[in-house]
Amino acid sequence: MQYILEERIGDPELEEKLLTLDYGGLIQSTTSSFHYQGIPDDILDLIFRDRYQYEIYREKFDLASELKQRVKNLEKNNRSLKAQVNELKGRMLELVIWRELNTYRKKGKPFSDLDNRFRPIPQNLSQHPNLSKIKEMKIGMIYLNYFIQSPETSVLELDLLVEGITDDSYHAIVFEIKNRNEKNCPSEHEIQLFAKKIDVLKYSLNRQGYKQFSILPLYLSANGFDEDSEKWLHKQEIFTSDADSWGIHIDC
């Protein structure tokens, strides 16, 4: 004997009811004619629960709340997917720049046209003493996703670190790279975090015993910056670039 909606019915009658539902397109028969499964449709699930949940479980079904929760879940999943896409696009841009700089390293050539890759910068940056040193340096190692830490901070990640080391000094270009659309330019928190990373790197170099070092921090945002953020970066002596000024022609 079987139960359906708390009514005691026999197998033949149950089979007849299931066949009716199958014929009406509300359920589907499986490989065995004696087993049935519901059509995978969220709307039908909500309709059945709205109609029968109280009769089965003695619990009222709140359809409006259920729909609101599903919308929230979809929005959350959508934001998560967008974040993953942005992360992958950023990694792609890092690889493009890494490959270009690696050609300079292999040929033993300095990155002499670096100043042509910047967005418009104030005069104090265009004449910054570190810029001329970095343009003349011979590239040594290039690191993707280089991790640094100080006793006062958690582990921080540098997107791209380009080193040029001599016997008595250390030179480096430090990249922060973002590849997002123009509606999502780097936030205030993100630009401040990059400035903090530069401070931690300098602290680390001091602890390693380097008496002389030249660091050129470069924030590359594929689709640019908002005006206030870029002004703040320049005040911190951080250079700025984008896909156009760098000469990267990809779908950003």
mmCIF file of all heavy atoms in Angstrom, residues 131-173:
data_model
loop_
_atom_site.group_PDB
_atom_site.id
_atom_site.type_symbol
_atom_site.label_atom_id
_atom_site.label_comp_id
_atom_site.label_asym_id
_atom_site.label_seq_id
_atom_site.Cartn_x
_atom_site.Cartn_y
_atom_site.Cartn_z
ATOM 1 N N LEU A 131 63.683 57.210 -11.668
ATOM 2 C CA LEU A 131 63.265 56.852 -13.017
ATOM 3 C C LEU A 131 64.469 56.629 -13.926
ATOM 4 O O LEU A 131 64.531 55.640 -14.670
ATOM 5 C CB LEU A 131 62.351 57.938 -13.590
ATOM 6 C CG LEU A 131 61.860 57.718 -15.023
ATOM 7 C CD1 LEU A 131 61.133 56.386 -15.155
ATOM 8 C CD2 LEU A 131 60.942 58.874 -15.453
ATOM 9 N N SER A 132 65.438 57.527 -13.873
ATOM 10 C CA SER A 132 66.619 57.380 -14.730
ATOM 11 C C SER A 132 67.417 56.134 -14.350
ATOM 12 O O SER A 132 67.952 55.433 -15.222
ATOM 13 C CB SER A 132 67.504 58.623 -14.632
ATOM 14 O OG SER A 132 67.911 58.853 -13.290
ATOM 15 N N LYS A 133 67.489 55.820 -13.054
ATOM 16 C CA LYS A 133 68.215 54.623 -12.620
ATOM 17 C C LYS A 133 67.527 53.350 -13.115
ATOM 18 O O LYS A 133 68.185 52.407 -13.567
ATOM 19 C CB LYS A 133 68.312 54.598 -11.096
ATOM 20 C CG LYS A 133 69.151 55.720 -10.506
ATOM 21 C CD LYS A 133 69.139 55.667 -8.987
ATOM 22 C CE LYS A 133 69.926 56.823 -8.378
ATOM 23 N NZ LYS A 133 69.875 56.805 -6.895
ATOM 24 N N ILE A 134 66.196 53.328 -13.022
ATOM 25 C CA ILE A 134 65.450 52.139 -13.442
ATOM 26 C C ILE A 134 65.553 51.947 -14.953
ATOM 27 O O ILE A 134 65.668 50.817 -15.447
ATOM 28 C CB ILE A 134 63.973 52.260 -13.021
ATOM 29 C CG1 ILE A 134 63.849 52.295 -11.495
ATOM 30 C CG2 ILE A 134 63.148 51.116 -13.589
ATOM 31 C CD1 ILE A 134 64.328 51.053 -10.792
ATOM 32 N N LYS A 135 65.544 53.042 -15.707
ATOM 33 C CA LYS A 135 65.636 52.943 -17.167
ATOM 34 C C LYS A 135 66.982 52.382 -17.614
ATOM 35 O O LYS A 135 67.087 51.793 -18.695
ATOM 36 C CB LYS A 135 65.419 54.320 -17.798
ATOM 37 C CG LYS A 135 63.980 54.807 -17.743
ATOM 38 C CD LYS A 135 63.866 56.256 -18.184
ATOM 39 C CE LYS A 135 64.388 56.471 -19.574
ATOM 40 N NZ LYS A 135 64.249 57.880 -20.019
ATOM 41 N N GLU A 136 67.996 52.557 -16.789
ATOM 42 C CA GLU A 136 69.339 52.091 -17.149
ATOM 43 C C GLU A 136 69.666 50.712 -16.586
ATOM 44 O O GLU A 136 70.678 50.113 -16.955
ATOM 45 C CB GLU A 136 70.379 53.101 -16.640
ATOM 46 C CG GLU A 136 70.278 54.468 -17.311
ATOM 47 C CD GLU A 136 71.173 55.501 -16.645
ATOM 48 O OE1 GLU A 136 71.842 55.130 -15.645
ATOM 49 O OE2 GLU A 136 71.204 56.656 -17.100
ATOM 50 N N MET A 137 68.822 50.198 -15.695
ATOM 51 C CA MET A 137 69.170 48.945 -15.023
ATOM 52 C C MET A 137 69.054 47.752 -15.970
ATOM 53 O O MET A 137 68.231 47.723 -16.887
ATOM 54 C CB MET A 137 68.278 48.726 -13.800
ATOM 55 C CG MET A 137 66.906 48.156 -14.100
ATOM 56 S SD MET A 137 65.971 47.760 -12.601
ATOM 57 C CE MET A 137 64.535 46.938 -13.301
ATOM 58 N N LYS A 138 69.888 46.778 -15.730
ATOM 59 C CA LYS A 138 69.810 45.515 -16.444
ATOM 60 C C LYS A 138 68.896 44.585 -15.654
ATOM 61 O O LYS A 138 69.123 44.338 -14.472
ATOM 62 C CB LYS A 138 71.201 44.901 -16.586
ATOM 63 C CG LYS A 138 71.226 43.615 -17.394
ATOM 64 C CD LYS A 138 72.641 43.098 -17.541
ATOM 65 C CE LYS A 138 72.687 41.806 -18.336
ATOM 66 N NZ LYS A 138 74.077 41.291 -18.472
ATOM 67 N N ILE A 139 67.855 44.087 -16.308
ATOM 68 C CA ILE A 139 66.858 43.278 -15.608
ATOM 69 C C ILE A 139 67.465 41.944 -15.184
ATOM 70 O O ILE A 139 68.095 41.245 -15.981
ATOM 71 C CB ILE A 139 65.624 43.044 -16.493
ATOM 72 C CG1 ILE A 139 64.928 44.380 -16.782
ATOM 73 C CG2 ILE A 139 64.643 42.083 -15.820
ATOM 74 C CD1 ILE A 139 63.750 44.267 -17.727
ATOM 75 N N GLY A 140 67.274 41.629 -13.908
ATOM 76 C CA GLY A 140 67.752 40.353 -13.387
ATOM 77 C C GLY A 140 66.629 39.333 -13.333
ATOM 78 O O GLY A 140 66.348 38.641 -14.302
ATOM 79 N N MET A 141 65.942 39.280 -12.203
ATOM 80 C CA MET A 141 64.838 38.340 -12.033
ATOM 81 C C MET A 141 63.502 39.055 -12.193
ATOM 82 O O MET A 141 63.371 40.243 -11.881
ATOM 83 C CB MET A 141 64.905 37.685 -10.655
ATOM 84 C CG MET A 141 66.150 36.843 -10.425
ATOM 85 S SD MET A 141 66.219 35.402 -11.522
ATOM 86 C CE MET A 141 64.818 34.457 -10.903
ATOM 87 N N ILE A 142 62.512 38.302 -12.673
ATOM 88 C CA ILE A 142 61.144 38.805 -12.783
ATOM 89 C C ILE A 142 60.236 37.824 -12.051
ATOM 90 O O ILE A 142 60.224 36.632 -12.362
ATOM 91 C CB ILE A 142 60.699 38.935 -14.251
ATOM 92 C CG1 ILE A 142 61.686 39.801 -15.036
ATOM 93 C CG2 ILE A 142 59.297 39.528 -14.331
ATOM 94 C CD1 ILE A 142 61.368 39.884 -16.525
ATOM 95 N N TYR A 143 59.485 38.331 -11.089
ATOM 96 C CA TYR A 143 58.633 37.464 -10.276
ATOM 97 C C TYR A 143 57.163 37.811 -10.490
ATOM 98 O O TYR A 143 56.769 38.975 -10.400
ATOM 99 C CB TYR A 143 58.942 37.634 -8.786
ATOM 100 C CG TYR A 143 60.360 37.311 -8.396
ATOM 101 C CD1 TYR A 143 61.320 38.326 -8.314
ATOM 102 C CD2 TYR A 143 60.751 36.013 -8.092
ATOM 103 C CE1 TYR A 143 62.626 38.046 -7.941
ATOM 104 C CE2 TYR A 143 62.055 35.722 -7.713
ATOM 105 C CZ TYR A 143 62.988 36.739 -7.644
ATOM 106 O OH TYR A 143 64.279 36.463 -7.276
ATOM 107 N N LEU A 144 56.373 36.793 -10.740
ATOM 108 C CA LEU A 144 54.921 36.931 -10.712
ATOM 109 C C LEU A 144 54.432 36.537 -9.327
ATOM 110 O O LEU A 144 54.845 35.515 -8.782
ATOM 111 C CB LEU A 144 54.270 36.021 -11.756
ATOM 112 C CG LEU A 144 54.206 36.527 -13.201
ATOM 113 C CD1 LEU A 144 53.767 35.395 -14.126
ATOM 114 C CD2 LEU A 144 53.244 37.700 -13.327
ATOM 115 N N ASN A 145 53.563 37.371 -8.754
ATOM 116 C CA ASN A 145 52.953 37.057 -7.452
ATOM 117 C C ASN A 145 54.021 36.814 -6.383
ATOM 118 O O ASN A 145 54.152 35.716 -5.846
ATOM 119 C CB ASN A 145 52.023 35.851 -7.575
ATOM 120 C CG ASN A 145 51.099 35.932 -8.785
ATOM 121 O OD1 ASN A 145 51.023 35.027 -9.592
ATOM 122 N ND2 ASN A 145 50.412 37.053 -8.928
ATOM 123 N N TYR A 146 54.762 37.861 -6.097
ATOM 124 C CA TYR A 146 55.856 37.822 -5.122
ATOM 125 C C TYR A 146 55.306 38.216 -3.751
ATOM 126 O O TYR A 146 54.649 39.250 -3.608
ATOM 127 C CB TYR A 146 56.949 38.793 -5.560
ATOM 128 C CG TYR A 146 58.206 38.750 -4.734
ATOM 129 C CD1 TYR A 146 59.228 37.862 -5.041
ATOM 130 C CD2 TYR A 146 58.382 39.619 -3.652
ATOM 131 C CE1 TYR A 146 60.400 37.829 -4.295
ATOM 132 C CE2 TYR A 146 59.543 39.589 -2.901
ATOM 133 C CZ TYR A 146 60.545 38.690 -3.226
ATOM 134 O OH TYR A 146 61.704 38.659 -2.483
ATOM 135 N N PHE A 147 55.586 37.408 -2.734
ATOM 136 C CA PHE A 147 55.017 37.636 -1.406
ATOM 137 C C PHE A 147 56.036 38.294 -0.480
ATOM 138 O O PHE A 147 57.211 37.911 -0.457
ATOM 139 C CB PHE A 147 54.535 36.318 -0.796
ATOM 140 C CG PHE A 147 53.375 35.712 -1.538
ATOM 141 C CD1 PHE A 147 53.578 34.745 -2.508
ATOM 142 C CD2 PHE A 147 52.080 36.134 -1.274
ATOM 143 C CE1 PHE A 147 52.514 34.198 -3.204
ATOM 144 C CE2 PHE A 147 51.005 35.596 -1.959
ATOM 145 C CZ PHE A 147 51.222 34.626 -2.925
ATOM 146 N N ILE A 148 55.564 39.287 0.275
ATOM 147 C CA ILE A 148 56.402 39.993 1.236
ATOM 148 C C ILE A 148 55.660 40.075 2.566
ATOM 149 O O ILE A 148 54.440 39.947 2.627
ATOM 150 C CB ILE A 148 56.761 41.418 0.756
ATOM 151 C CG1 ILE A 148 55.480 42.217 0.455
ATOM 152 C CG2 ILE A 148 57.664 41.368 -0.459
ATOM 153 C CD1 ILE A 148 55.739 43.668 0.096
ATOM 154 N N GLN A 149 56.424 40.320 3.628
ATOM 155 C CA GLN A 149 55.817 40.409 4.954
ATOM 156 C C GLN A 149 56.755 41.154 5.888
ATOM 157 O O GLN A 149 57.978 41.117 5.731
ATOM 158 C CB GLN A 149 55.533 39.010 5.514
ATOM 159 C CG GLN A 149 54.751 39.004 6.816
ATOM 160 C CD GLN A 149 54.415 37.594 7.271
ATOM 161 O OE1 GLN A 149 54.976 36.618 6.779
ATOM 162 N NE2 GLN A 149 53.506 37.474 8.219
ATOM 163 N N SER A 150 56.171 41.852 6.846
ATOM 164 C CA SER A 150 56.941 42.465 7.922
ATOM 165 C C SER A 150 56.352 41.981 9.238
ATOM 166 O O SER A 150 55.254 41.417 9.262
ATOM 167 C CB SER A 150 56.860 43.997 7.831
ATOM 168 O OG SER A 150 55.590 44.455 8.273
ATOM 169 N N PRO A 151 57.065 42.198 10.358
ATOM 170 C CA PRO A 151 56.519 41.749 11.653
ATOM 171 C C PRO A 151 55.167 42.372 11.991
ATOM 172 O O PRO A 151 54.394 41.810 12.756
ATOM 173 C CB PRO A 151 57.595 42.189 12.654
ATOM 174 C CG PRO A 151 58.850 42.261 11.857
ATOM 175 C CD PRO A 151 58.434 42.723 10.492
ATOM 176 N N GLU A 152 54.887 43.537 11.411
ATOM 177 C CA GLU A 152 53.645 44.240 11.743
ATOM 178 C C GLU A 152 52.505 43.950 10.773
ATOM 179 O O GLU A 152 51.391 44.428 10.966
ATOM 180 C CB GLU A 152 53.886 45.760 11.769
ATOM 181 C CG GLU A 152 54.835 46.234 12.858
ATOM 182 C CD GLU A 152 56.296 46.041 12.469
ATOM 183 O OE1 GLU A 152 56.560 45.849 11.265
ATOM 184 O OE2 GLU A 152 57.155 46.072 13.372
ATOM 185 N N THR A 153 52.758 43.198 9.699
ATOM 186 C CA THR A 153 51.721 42.990 8.689
ATOM 187 C C THR A 153 51.541 41.512 8.384
ATOM 188 O O THR A 153 52.408 40.683 8.666
ATOM 189 C CB THR A 153 52.078 43.705 7.367
ATOM 190 O OG1 THR A 153 53.229 43.073 6.782
ATOM 191 C CG2 THR A 153 52.358 45.177 7.593
ATOM 192 N N SER A 154 50.404 41.208 7.789
ATOM 193 C CA SER A 154 50.196 39.869 7.244
ATOM 194 C C SER A 154 50.913 39.781 5.901
ATOM 195 O O SER A 154 51.491 40.759 5.417
ATOM 196 C CB SER A 154 48.698 39.603 7.073
ATOM 197 O OG SER A 154 48.121 40.586 6.229
ATOM 198 N N VAL A 155 50.881 38.616 5.286
ATOM 199 C CA VAL A 155 51.546 38.428 3.998
ATOM 200 C C VAL A 155 50.855 39.279 2.933
ATOM 201 O O VAL A 155 49.626 39.301 2.832
ATOM 202 C CB VAL A 155 51.519 36.942 3.587
ATOM 203 C CG1 VAL A 155 52.112 36.765 2.195
ATOM 204 C CG2 VAL A 155 52.287 36.103 4.597
ATOM 205 N N LEU A 156 51.659 39.994 2.148
ATOM 206 C CA LEU A 156 51.146 40.825 1.065
ATOM 207 C C LEU A 156 51.709 40.318 -0.262
ATOM 208 O O LEU A 156 52.819 39.787 -0.316
ATOM 209 C CB LEU A 156 51.545 42.287 1.271
ATOM 210 C CG LEU A 156 51.025 42.956 2.551
ATOM 211 C CD1 LEU A 156 51.665 44.329 2.729
ATOM 212 C CD2 LEU A 156 49.510 43.076 2.516
ATOM 213 N N GLU A 157 50.946 40.503 -1.324
ATOM 214 C CA GLU A 157 51.351 39.987 -2.633
ATOM 215 C C GLU A 157 51.621 41.128 -3.607
ATOM 216 O O GLU A 157 50.795 42.029 -3.777
ATOM 217 C CB GLU A 157 50.253 39.087 -3.198
ATOM 218 C CG GLU A 157 50.579 38.504 -4.566
ATOM 219 C CD GLU A 157 49.444 37.674 -5.135
ATOM 220 O OE1 GLU A 157 48.516 37.327 -4.372
ATOM 221 O OE2 GLU A 157 49.478 37.373 -6.340
ATOM 222 N N LEU A 158 52.795 41.083 -4.241
ATOM 223 C CA LEU A 158 53.119 41.996 -5.330
ATOM 224 C C LEU A 158 52.782 41.290 -6.636
ATOM 225 O O LEU A 158 53.232 40.171 -6.877
ATOM 226 C CB LEU A 158 54.603 42.368 -5.303
ATOM 227 C CG LEU A 158 55.137 42.982 -3.997
ATOM 228 C CD1 LEU A 158 56.637 43.240 -4.114
ATOM 229 C CD2 LEU A 158 54.397 44.267 -3.664
ATOM 230 N N ASP A 159 51.999 41.942 -7.485
ATOM 231 C CA ASP A 159 51.580 41.292 -8.730
ATOM 232 C C ASP A 159 52.774 40.938 -9.609
ATOM 233 O O ASP A 159 52.857 39.840 -10.164
ATOM 234 C CB ASP A 159 50.623 42.202 -9.506
ATOM 235 C CG ASP A 159 49.269 42.324 -8.823
ATOM 236 O OD1 ASP A 159 48.945 41.449 -7.998
ATOM 237 O OD2 ASP A 159 48.543 43.289 -9.110
ATOM 238 N N LEU A 160 53.692 41.886 -9.754
ATOM 239 C CA LEU A 160 54.857 41.668 -10.620
ATOM 240 C C LEU A 160 56.030 42.465 -10.060
ATOM 241 O O LEU A 160 55.911 43.664 -9.817
ATOM 242 C CB LEU A 160 54.535 42.118 -12.047
ATOM 243 C CG LEU A 160 55.548 41.793 -13.142
ATOM 244 C CD1 LEU A 160 55.704 40.287 -13.313
ATOM 245 C CD2 LEU A 160 55.103 42.415 -14.470
ATOM 246 N N LEU A 161 57.148 41.778 -9.852
ATOM 247 C CA LEU A 161 58.357 42.412 -9.328
ATOM 248 C C LEU A 161 59.486 42.194 -10.322
ATOM 249 O O LEU A 161 59.834 41.057 -10.642
ATOM 250 C CB LEU A 161 58.727 41.816 -7.967
ATOM 251 C CG LEU A 161 60.034 42.302 -7.336
ATOM 252 C CD1 LEU A 161 59.963 43.793 -7.015
ATOM 253 C CD2 LEU A 161 60.363 41.499 -6.079
ATOM 254 N N VAL A 162 60.047 43.302 -10.812
ATOM 255 C CA VAL A 162 61.134 43.247 -11.797
ATOM 256 C C VAL A 162 62.389 43.786 -11.128
ATOM 257 O O VAL A 162 62.469 44.966 -10.789
ATOM 258 C CB VAL A 162 60.789 44.090 -13.043
ATOM 259 C CG1 VAL A 162 61.885 43.948 -14.097
ATOM 260 C CG2 VAL A 162 59.432 43.683 -13.611
ATOM 261 N N GLU A 163 63.384 42.922 -10.943
ATOM 262 C CA GLU A 163 64.580 43.289 -10.187
ATOM 263 C C GLU A 163 65.775 43.569 -11.092
ATOM 264 O O GLU A 163 65.943 42.946 -12.136
ATOM 265 C CB GLU A 163 64.972 42.158 -9.231
ATOM 266 C CG GLU A 163 64.026 41.944 -8.076
ATOM 267 C CD GLU A 163 64.541 40.880 -7.123
ATOM 268 O OE1 GLU A 163 65.301 39.994 -7.573
ATOM 269 O OE2 GLU A 163 64.182 40.933 -5.936
ATOM 270 N N GLY A 164 66.587 44.494 -10.633
ATOM 271 C CA GLY A 164 67.896 44.734 -11.223
ATOM 272 C C GLY A 164 68.877 44.925 -10.083
ATOM 273 O O GLY A 164 68.824 45.928 -9.371
ATOM 274 N N ILE A 165 69.748 43.958 -9.862
ATOM 275 C CA ILE A 165 70.615 43.967 -8.685
ATOM 276 C C ILE A 165 72.076 44.100 -9.101
ATOM 277 O O ILE A 165 72.543 43.415 -10.007
ATOM 278 C CB ILE A 165 70.430 42.678 -7.862
ATOM 279 C CG1 ILE A 165 68.956 42.500 -7.466
ATOM 280 C CG2 ILE A 165 71.297 42.707 -6.607
ATOM 281 C CD1 ILE A 165 68.671 41.198 -6.757
ATOM 282 N N THR A 166 72.786 44.999 -8.428
ATOM 283 C CA THR A 166 74.233 45.104 -8.593
ATOM 284 C C THR A 166 74.881 44.701 -7.273
ATOM 285 O O THR A 166 74.209 44.315 -6.325
ATOM 286 C CB THR A 166 74.635 46.539 -8.977
ATOM 287 O OG1 THR A 166 74.275 47.425 -7.907
ATOM 288 C CG2 THR A 166 73.922 46.984 -10.245
ATOM 289 N N ASP A 167 76.204 44.817 -7.204
ATOM 290 C CA ASP A 167 76.915 44.387 -6.000
ATOM 291 C C ASP A 167 76.528 45.202 -4.771
ATOM 292 O O ASP A 167 76.505 44.687 -3.654
ATOM 293 C CB ASP A 167 78.431 44.484 -6.220
ATOM 294 C CG ASP A 167 78.919 43.465 -7.242
ATOM 295 O OD1 ASP A 167 78.201 42.460 -7.443
ATOM 296 O OD2 ASP A 167 79.986 43.688 -7.834
ATOM 297 N N ASP A 168 76.233 46.475 -4.966
ATOM 298 C CA ASP A 168 76.006 47.333 -3.800
ATOM 299 C C ASP A 168 74.641 48.018 -3.788
ATOM 300 O O ASP A 168 74.385 48.864 -2.933
ATOM 301 C CB ASP A 168 77.100 48.405 -3.722
ATOM 302 C CG ASP A 168 77.139 49.273 -4.974
ATOM 303 O OD1 ASP A 168 76.448 48.928 -5.958
ATOM 304 O OD2 ASP A 168 77.849 50.292 -4.961
ATOM 305 N N SER A 169 73.768 47.682 -4.727
ATOM 306 C CA SER A 169 72.471 48.361 -4.759
ATOM 307 C C SER A 169 71.388 47.438 -5.314
ATOM 308 O O SER A 169 71.675 46.385 -5.886
ATOM 309 C CB SER A 169 72.543 49.649 -5.592
ATOM 310 O OG SER A 169 72.867 49.342 -6.937
ATOM 311 N N TYR A 170 70.167 47.874 -5.125
ATOM 312 C CA TYR A 170 69.006 47.093 -5.557
ATOM 313 C C TYR A 170 68.053 48.038 -6.280
ATOM 314 O O TYR A 170 67.719 49.112 -5.774
ATOM 315 C CB TYR A 170 68.322 46.479 -4.333
ATOM 316 C CG TYR A 170 67.058 45.693 -4.622
ATOM 317 C CD1 TYR A 170 67.089 44.316 -4.735
ATOM 318 C CD2 TYR A 170 65.829 46.344 -4.759
ATOM 319 C CE1 TYR A 170 65.927 43.584 -4.976
ATOM 320 C CE2 TYR A 170 64.667 45.622 -5.004
ATOM 321 C CZ TYR A 170 64.720 44.249 -5.113
ATOM 322 O OH TYR A 170 63.569 43.534 -5.358
ATOM 323 N N HIS A 171 67.622 47.639 -7.473
ATOM 324 C CA HIS A 171 66.662 48.425 -8.239
ATOM 325 C C HIS A 171 65.474 47.526 -8.592
ATOM 326 O O HIS A 171 65.651 46.330 -8.837
ATOM 327 C CB HIS A 171 67.284 48.968 -9.526
ATOM 328 C CG HIS A 171 68.550 49.740 -9.315
ATOM 329 N ND1 HIS A 171 68.621 50.857 -8.517
ATOM 330 C CD2 HIS A 171 69.810 49.542 -9.797
ATOM 331 C CE1 HIS A 171 69.851 51.325 -8.519
ATOM 332 N NE2 HIS A 171 70.601 50.538 -9.276
ATOM 333 N N ALA A 172 64.296 48.108 -8.646
ATOM 334 C CA ALA A 172 63.129 47.279 -8.968
ATOM 335 C C ALA A 172 61.964 48.128 -9.457
ATOM 336 O O ALA A 172 61.778 49.273 -9.029
ATOM 337 C CB ALA A 172 62.694 46.468 -7.752
ATOM 338 N N ILE A 173 61.199 47.529 -10.370
ATOM 339 C CA ILE A 173 59.886 48.058 -10.735
ATOM 340 C C ILE A 173 58.865 47.157 -10.053
ATOM 341 O O ILE A 173 58.932 45.930 -10.173
ATOM 342 C CB ILE A 173 59.644 48.028 -12.257
ATOM 343 C CG1 ILE A 173 60.805 48.661 -13.007
ATOM 344 C CG2 ILE A 173 58.336 48.739 -12.601
ATOM 345 C CD1 ILE A 173 60.710 48.479 -14.519
#
